[in-house]
Amino acid sequence: MASKEESGKLEWRISVDNGTTEILVPKSGPSKRIFLWLKGLVMNVIVERIAKFMRNAWRIGADDPAKVVHCLKVGLALSLVSIFYYMRPLYDGVGGNAMWAIMTVVVVFESNVGATFSKCVNRVVATILAGSLGIAVHWVATQSGKAEIFVIGCSVFLFAFAATYSRFVPSFKARFDYGAMIFILTFSLVSVGGYRVDKLVDMAQQRVSTIAIGTSICIFITVFFCPIWAGTQLHRLVQRNFVKLADSLDGCVAEYLKKKDVEKNGIEDEETNMKLQGFKCVLNSKGTEESMANLARWEPAHGSFNFRHPWQQYVKIGAAMRRCAYCLENLSICMNYEAEAPDQVKNHFGEACLKLSSASSKILRELADMMNNTRKSSKMDFLVFDMNSAVQELQETLKTVPVRTNNAKEDGTMTMSLHEVLPVATLVSLLIENAARIQTTVEAVDELANLADFKQDSKKKTGDTNVKQPPLSS
Amino acid sequence: MASKEESGKLEWRISVDNGTTEILVPKSGPSKRIFLWLKGLVMNVIVERIAKFMRNAWRIGADDPAKVVHCLKVGLALSLVSIFYYMRPLYDGVGGNAMWAIMTVVVVFESNVGATFSKCVNRVVATILAGSLGIAVHWVATQSGKAEIFVIGCSVFLFAFAATYSRFVPSFKARFDYGAMIFILTFSLVSVGGYRVDKLVDMAQQRVSTIAIGTSICIFITVFFCPIWAGTQLHRLVQRNFVKLADSLDGCVAEYLKKKDVEKNGIEDEETNMKLQGFKCVLNSKGTEESMANLARWEPAHGSFNFRHPWQQYVKIGAAMRRCAYCLENLSICMNYEAEAPDQVKNHFGEACLKLSSASSKILRELADMMNNTRKSSKMDFLVFDMNSAVQELQETLKTVPVRTNNAKEDGTMTMSLHEVLPVATLVSLLIENAARIQTTVEAVDELANLADFKQDSKKKTGDTNVKQPPLSS
């Protein structure tokens, strides 16, 4: 009891204390303080987060206006399709099923033409297939009298199992994943729904027609309002990656060889770093390339691409480029080792390395040009020849290098220990390997040029027709 | 005219010829031949393709029975939800809206718990949000008299634009992509649909309750029937990748050093090749790791993983492993160069290289063990120390290598030219770099062990508590 009383007193005293302090500060004090604290909280936590999100969102739109255009197109498509609800004659035609048109637009509309086409075709074909099958199963079920529920239940279970399983087969999944889902959905709705709905065929017909309306609106808007083609995006991606590889290669080698002499400059450094890191985009673009190639084959002819453009070849080119990027990733080893490599070693190999790396990057830039103009290259053979002679030269340099043995330490001539040469030797062998990998990339692009019937380079026709053939590379 | 007649004659003669040959062969000939040809076509093209697809599908199921289980679960969930249609009291409760329960199950049910949870939460929250907003907009629209259609149209356009745009923001997309789509769908259906439907609130309520039914069935089945956890899959993937890296590393170095002595064996060769290519799985698992880590954080506590298990750390570990895999990819350079490296060079470096590679792969296997037992390792410090001394030793070997200079060619001692040493030098520097990268991987796994409170290794407690501390690696 005593303790209770005491605590009571204590509380009372505290409240008095609070009262006293309240009187001492201006009336608005605590409420103002709470208001300020709340304001601070809101400003710091919520507003700050929203502001960050908005800044982020703004930058995404500014970097790629096509995304904003896509959003506008979605809004437009939805507004168009909702006209079916507003206009009485149209609404009377399809009734409450107009809902399916809206749903189709929301689900099917994708940011590029290929994805939209693929989803539209999948949706329409799967709906028709599953709808007919569902009606057939429903008919069988009604004929079987008391076993109706059993027949429907079993067929739903079996078809759902089969369709879900097919989604695990990679070749099927790549093209018909969405179709399999729609198949399960429609089949269940029709066969199970048929148990309660009387005019099943009418319902199915109406649903197919509303889906047709939805898909046609999607296709119309996606193709005729600022179309974004998956194929064009893939083509540009590969082209940009060639430039990035070339920049990285030039940057890495130059950086390695000149690092000690040149003073670092903050702004320049950041730009150089961006260029040096370019190969990382190539390392990470496997998934994008594969999905784009899958979508691009749904697209009709557009720009300089025919309907049967060899999109799968881009995946092969991408794989070849990635192998070059692995080499570049490992060139960074040499950059890390840098402290160990004395200038005299660098000087000895510098010229030959720079020659090879610039010959290699010239080829990469020429490949980017080929992609950009969709033309065959007239000078590619010579560039490859140049690169191969640079490789030869570098190997010669290796053979003539004066390396200090343990016994010859007191010799007066300029010599290097193997330990000192190691980082440069790694650079050299990576550059040589990279040259070989670039050559396979050139072959992959040449194959694309043949498959896709790239035009001959006009320079070849007008200019030097009887130039001497480069000797075969050893 | 003459040419036409001629062509006519020609045709006629050909048809006569055909007639003659027909008479010469037995009566049943042509029809039988056509039948055989058709049969061949069907057998070869269609049956063959289907058989290939089925074989492929069978292998997928045999390799990973969890996929078959998932398909069975989908069938089960659909059968369960369709009970709502068959049973009158339940059907009377939700009416035609029972359709939404089926749709929810088909769309939301995914192969692992995390994905199903994520979709369920997205669907429910987005439906409730968009539904309330849609009803609010509908109310505003009805108050605005003649401008009703205008208000609805504008709001649909604006919200569709905003929600579609938010799907481009990566941080948002990773978690709420599906929710954004459902938001657009529900908002459009409610606000546009409200134009024709009278009892809008009733409809919305029914729809939410059917979606709740669908999601609870999904969650119930996905959690209680052979659950497949995204987190567990991610954990095992990382663990398996460690083993694969170790196998590749051992395999590459051993293959390089012993290739000339040992006769090739067909079966052994294939197995070795499989092991050598193991690092490619690591190169390609970036996407899987990231999406699994995203899904795993939706999952409740299971097995040895708490609710707030640091799944993002697995992405970091994966990135560190991939850097090791880049090194291994480039070790294949040395394999290609093999023809140039004489045995004496290999012998000189062989022992030190093998020592380093086996020390490195021991660490990788220990990391796999750590993951497998979710325990901290008591011997990791010593393994890292071993690896660092192997690096030191290899560098010493480099310093003492007798390299032939151009002037010392006629010297009697065993010497090597730099050109000959180059491939081995590359191997050496890649192995050294790989060791450094393995060390960063160890640090990443240690961080995971700390964040996730892995248990202490029991060996440490029972056994050598006063072992000498390994000196800090230089």
Side-chain angles (χ1 to χ4, degrees):
Chain A
M1 286 292 253
S3 71
K4 257 192 186 175
E5 257 176 51
E6 249 183 37
S7 70
K9 266 184 197 168
L10 205 68
E11 274 168 21
W12 176 80
R13 206 168 57 207
I14 287 166
S15 64
V16 166
D17 275 349
N18 276 355
T20 331
T21 46
E22 251 175 46
I23 292 162
L24 285 173
V25 295
K27 265 261 147 122
S28 61
S31 59
K32 198 177 178 184
R33 235 183 298 156
I34 289 170
F35 172 77
L36 281 174
W37 179 77
L38 272 177
K39 197 182 151 194
L41 188 82
V42 170
M43 285 303 287
N44 284 333
V45 181
I46 302 169
V47 174
E48 191 58 35
R49 286 195 90 168
I50 291 178
K52 196 184 159 197
F53 184 85
M54 296 306 276
R55 273 200 302 274
N56 203 352
W58 180 263
R59 217 187 44 239
I60 288 168
D63 285 352
D64 186 3
K67 286 175 179 162
V68 182
V69 172
H70 167 65
C71 298
L72 291 173
K73 280 158 75 179
V74 171
L76 185 64
L78 270 178
S79 308
L80 260 183
V81 80
S82 50
I83 289 176
F84 279 88
Y85 260 80
Y86 308 143
M87 291 171 73
R88 183 148 285 282
L90 289 173
Y91 185 80
D92 290 347
V94 292
N97 280 318
M99 180 192 93
W100 286 93
I102 294 184
M103 193 178 289
T104 304
V105 169
V106 173
V107 177
V108 151
F109 206 98
E110 291 279 335
S111 63
N112 61 61
V113 180
T116 310
F117 262 61
S118 138
K119 278 202 161 178
C120 285
V121 172
N122 266 298
R123 188 170 186 109
V124 169
V125 172
T127 303
I128 291 173
L129 254 179
S132 345
L133 208 61
I135 290 172
V137 165
H138 174 71
W139 183 82
V140 170
T142 47
Q143 300 298 309
S144 56
K146 278 201 168 179
E148 186 177 352
I149 291 182
F150 182 74
V151 171
I152 294 177
C154 282
S155 64
V156 166
F157 186 91
L158 281 178
F159 280 108
F161 178 86
T164 309
Y165 197 84
S166 71
R167 294 173 77 181
F168 284 120
V169 181
S171 57
F172 187 89
K173 184 185 171 74
R175 292 220 223 171
F176 307 118
D177 190 51
Y178 182 66
M181 198 182 77
I182 293 295
F183 179 89
I184 306 176
L185 179 62
T186 310
F187 181 78
S188 312
L189 287 182
V190 171
S191 60
V192 176
Y195 188 68
R196 296 281 176 194
V197 178
D198 299 324
K199 292 179 180 173
L200 190 63
V201 179
D202 280 9
M203 189 192 80
Q205 254 179 2
Q206 274 191 344
R207 207 159 283 180
V208 168
S209 60
T210 46
I211 289 177
I213 290 168
T215 50
S216 20
I217 287 177
C218 283
I219 290 177
F220 177 75
I221 290 184
T222 199
V223 172
F224 294 103
F225 288 73
C226 317
I228 301 162
W229 303 96
T232 312
Q233 283 186 317
L234 174 62
H235 190 86
R236 280 200 203 130
L237 175 71
V238 170
Q239 181 207 325
R240 269 201 313 270
N241 278 351
F242 274 126
V243 177
K244 280 180 186 167
L245 270 186
D247 284 346
S248 286
L249 180 59
D250 281 346
C252 274
V253 176
E255 180 86 347
Y256 177 71
L257 292 171
K258 79 178 179 189
K259 214 172 181 180
K260 277 192 181 162
D261 313 350
V262 181
E263 265 304 299
K264 279 187 187 176
N265 180 325
I267 305 162
E268 223 177 57
D269 214 43
E270 199 172 303
E271 227 174 64
T272 319
N273 245 338
M274 279 283 289
K275 282 199 171 179
L276 285 183
Q277 303 292 315
F279 67 87
K280 290 200 177 159
C281 296
V282 183
L283 288 178
N284 294 335
S285 59
K286 183 172 189 267
T288 318
E289 279 165 13
E290 278 170 8
S291 69
M292 285 289 176
N294 258 329
L295 296 175
R297 51 179 170 176
W298 293 91
E299 289 176 350
H302 60 278
S304 43
F305 310 116
N306 292 323
F307 172 59
R308 289 197 154 277
H309 193 76
W311 296 114
Q312 284 305 313
Q313 187 63 27
Y314 287 81
V315 176
K316 286 183 195 164
I317 295 174
M321 287 166 79
R322 224 160 293 121
R323 297 197 69 226
C324 297
Y326 295 145
C327 269
L328 289 183
E329 212 279 343
N330 278 279
L331 276 179
S332 62
I333 299 176
C334 312
M335 316 265 287
N336 296 340
Y337 270 146
E338 195 265 348
E340 290 181 16
D343 277 346
Q344 67 183 83
V345 182
K346 286 186 184 177
N347 291 340
H348 186 86
F349 289 99
E351 203 186 335
C353 281
L354 268 181
K355 200 168 176 187
L356 176 53
S357 77
S358 82
S360 305
S361 72
K362 256 184 208 155
I363 292 185
L364 290 171
R365 285 181 214 283
E366 178 70 13
L367 287 174
D369 262 13
M370 270 178 78
M371 299 293 283
N372 195 26
N373 307 323
T374 58
R375 285 188 177 279
K376 287 176 182 169
S377 164
S378 57
K379 54 181 177 178
M380 185 55 83
D381 290 342
F382 296 96
L383 289 176
V384 171
F385 174 63
D386 273 358
M387 184 175 74
N388 284 326
S389 24
V391 168
Q392 294 277 330
E393 200 174 305
L394 192 52
Q395 275 168 341
E396 289 303 319
T397 315
L398 271 180
K399 280 178 189 162
T400 61
V401 67
V403 179
R404 183 177 61 208
T405 69
N406 270 7
N407 313 330
K409 250 180 182 171
E410 48 288 306
D411 197 334
T413 58
M414 186 200 80
T415 52
M416 312 162 193
S417 83
L418 183 57
H419 191 241
E420 287 174 332
V421 180
L422 185 66
V424 180
T426 311
L427 179 82
V428 167
S429 77
L430 286 171
L431 279 178
I432 292 175
E433 175 65 20
N434 192 37
R437 293 182 179 189
I438 285 177
Q439 211 157 354
T440 61
T441 313
V442 170
E443 281 155 25
V445 177
D446 276 345
E447 202 182 328
L448 172 71
N450 288 331
L451 288 172
D453 281 332
F454 278 10
K455 287 157 284 181
Q456 283 294 334
D457 199 337
S458 55
K459 283 172 202 162
K460 195 164 194 173
K461 283 178 203 157
T462 55
D464 35 21
T465 45
N466 52 358
V467 282
K468 70 176 199 303
Q469 200 64 18
L472 282 168
S473 65
S474 60
Chain B
M1 286 293 251
S3 71
K4 259 194 188 174
E5 257 177 53
E6 252 182 35
S7 70
K9 265 185 198 169
L10 206 65
E11 275 167 20
W12 176 78
R13 206 167 59 206
I14 286 166
S15 64
V16 165
D17 275 349
N18 276 354
T20 332
T21 47
E22 253 174 45
I23 292 160
L24 285 174
V25 295
K27 266 260 144 126
S28 61
S31 60
K32 198 177 178 184
R33 237 185 296 154
I34 289 170
F35 172 75
L36 281 174
W37 178 78
L38 271 177
K39 197 181 150 195
L41 188 81
V42 169
M43 288 301 287
N44 284 333
V45 179
I46 301 169
V47 174
E48 191 60 34
R49 285 194 90 168
I50 292 177
K52 195 183 159 197
F53 184 84
M54 296 306 275
R55 272 199 304 274
N56 204 352
W58 181 263
R59 216 186 45 240
I60 288 168
D63 285 353
D64 186 3
K67 286 174 179 163
V68 182
V69 172
H70 168 64
C71 299
L72 290 174
K73 280 157 76 180
V74 172
L76 185 65
L78 272 177
S79 307
L80 261 183
V81 81
S82 51
I83 288 177
F84 281 87
Y85 259 81
Y86 307 142
M87 291 170 74
R88 183 150 286 283
L90 289 173
Y91 185 80
D92 290 346
V94 292
N97 280 317
M99 181 194 94
W100 286 93
I102 295 183
M103 194 178 285
T104 304
V105 170
V106 173
V107 177
V108 152
F109 206 98
E110 291 279 335
S111 63
N112 61 60
V113 180
T116 310
F117 262 60
S118 138
K119 278 201 163 178
C120 284
V121 172
N122 266 296
R123 188 171 186 109
V124 170
V125 172
T127 304
I128 292 173
L129 255 179
S132 344
L133 208 62
I135 290 173
V137 165
H138 174 71
W139 183 82
V140 171
T142 47
Q143 301 299 311
S144 56
K146 277 201 168 179
E148 186 178 352
I149 290 181
F150 181 75
V151 171
I152 295 176
C154 282
S155 64
V156 166
F157 186 91
L158 282 178
F159 280 107
F161 178 87
T164 310
Y165 196 85
S166 71
R167 295 174 76 181
F168 285 119
V169 181
S171 58
F172 187 88
K173 184 186 171 74
R175 293 220 222 171
F176 308 116
D177 189 50
Y178 182 66
M181 198 183 76
I182 292 295
F183 179 89
I184 306 175
L185 178 62
T186 310
F187 181 78
S188 312
L189 287 182
V190 170
S191 61
V192 176
Y195 188 67
R196 296 283 175 192
V197 178
D198 299 324
K199 293 178 179 173
L200 190 62
V201 179
D202 280 9
M203 189 192 79
Q205 254 179 1
Q206 276 191 343
R207 207 160 282 180
V208 168
S209 60
T210 47
I211 288 177
I213 290 167
T215 49
S216 17
I217 287 177
C218 283
I219 289 177
F220 177 75
I221 289 183
T222 200
V223 173
F224 293 104
F225 287 73
C226 316
I228 301 162
W229 303 95
T232 311
Q233 284 187 317
L234 174 61
H235 190 85
R236 281 202 201 128
L237 174 72
V238 170
Q239 181 207 328
R240 271 200 313 272
N241 279 349
F242 275 125
V243 177
K244 279 179 184 166
L245 270 186
D247 284 347
S248 287
L249 179 59
D250 281 345
C252 274
V253 175
E255 179 88 347
Y256 177 71
L257 292 172
K258 80 178 180 189
K259 214 171 179 178
K260 275 191 181 165
D261 313 347
V262 181
E263 266 304 300
K264 279 185 187 176
N265 179 326
I267 306 164
E268 224 176 56
D269 215 44
E270 199 171 302
E271 228 174 64
T272 321
N273 245 337
M274 278 284 287
K275 282 199 171 179
L276 286 182
Q277 304 292 315
F279 67 86
K280 289 199 177 158
C281 297
V282 183
L283 288 178
N284 294 335
S285 60
K286 183 170 188 270
T288 318
E289 280 164 13
E290 278 170 5
S291 69
M292 285 289 174
N294 258 328
L295 295 176
R297 51 180 168 176
W298 292 91
E299 290 177 350
H302 61 278
S304 43
F305 310 117
N306 291 323
F307 173 59
R308 288 197 156 277
H309 193 75
W311 297 114
Q312 286 305 315
Q313 187 63 26
Y314 287 81
V315 176
K316 286 182 195 163
I317 294 175
M321 286 166 80
R322 225 160 292 121
R323 298 198 68 227
C324 296
Y326 295 145
C327 268
L328 290 183
E329 214 277 343
N330 278 278
L331 276 179
S332 63
I333 300 174
C334 311
M335 318 265 285
N336 297 340
Y337 270 146
E338 196 265 348
E340 289 181 18
D343 276 346
Q344 67 184 84
V345 183
K346 285 186 184 178
N347 291 340
H348 186 85
F349 289 100
E351 204 186 335
C353 282
L354 268 180
K355 201 168 174 186
L356 176 53
S357 77
S358 82
S360 306
S361 70
K362 256 185 209 155
I363 292 184
L364 291 171
R365 284 182 216 281
E366 179 69 13
L367 288 174
D369 263 14
M370 271 178 78
M371 301 292 282
N372 195 25
N373 307 321
T374 59
R375 283 187 177 281
K376 287 176 182 167
S377 164
S378 57
K379 53 182 179 180
M380 185 56 84
D381 290 343
F382 296 96
L383 290 176
V384 171
F385 173 63
D386 273 359
M387 185 176 75
N388 284 327
S389 23
V391 168
Q392 293 278 330
E393 200 174 305
L394 192 53
Q395 275 168 342
E396 289 304 316
T397 316
L398 270 178
K399 280 177 187 161
T400 61
V401 66
V403 180
R404 185 177 60 210
T405 69
N406 269 8
N407 314 329
K409 246 181 186 170
E410 47 291 304
D411 196 335
T413 57
M414 188 201 79
T415 51
M416 313 160 191
S417 82
L418 183 58
H419 190 240
E420 286 172 332
V421 180
L422 184 66
V424 181
T426 311
L427 179 82
V428 168
S429 77
L430 286 172
L431 279 178
I432 292 174
E433 175 65 18
N434 192 38
R437 292 183 180 187
I438 284 177
Q439 211 157 355
T440 61
T441 314
V442 170
E443 280 155 24
V445 177
D446 276 344
E447 201 182 330
L448 173 71
N450 288 331
L451 288 173
D453 278 333
F454 278 11
K455 287 157 285 183
Q456 283 294 334
D457 200 335
S458 54
K459 284 172 201 162
K460 197 165 194 174
K461 285 177 202 158
T462 57
D464 34 24
T465 45
N466 53 358
V467 284
K468 68 177 201 305
Q469 202 62 18
L472 282 166
S473 64
S474 60

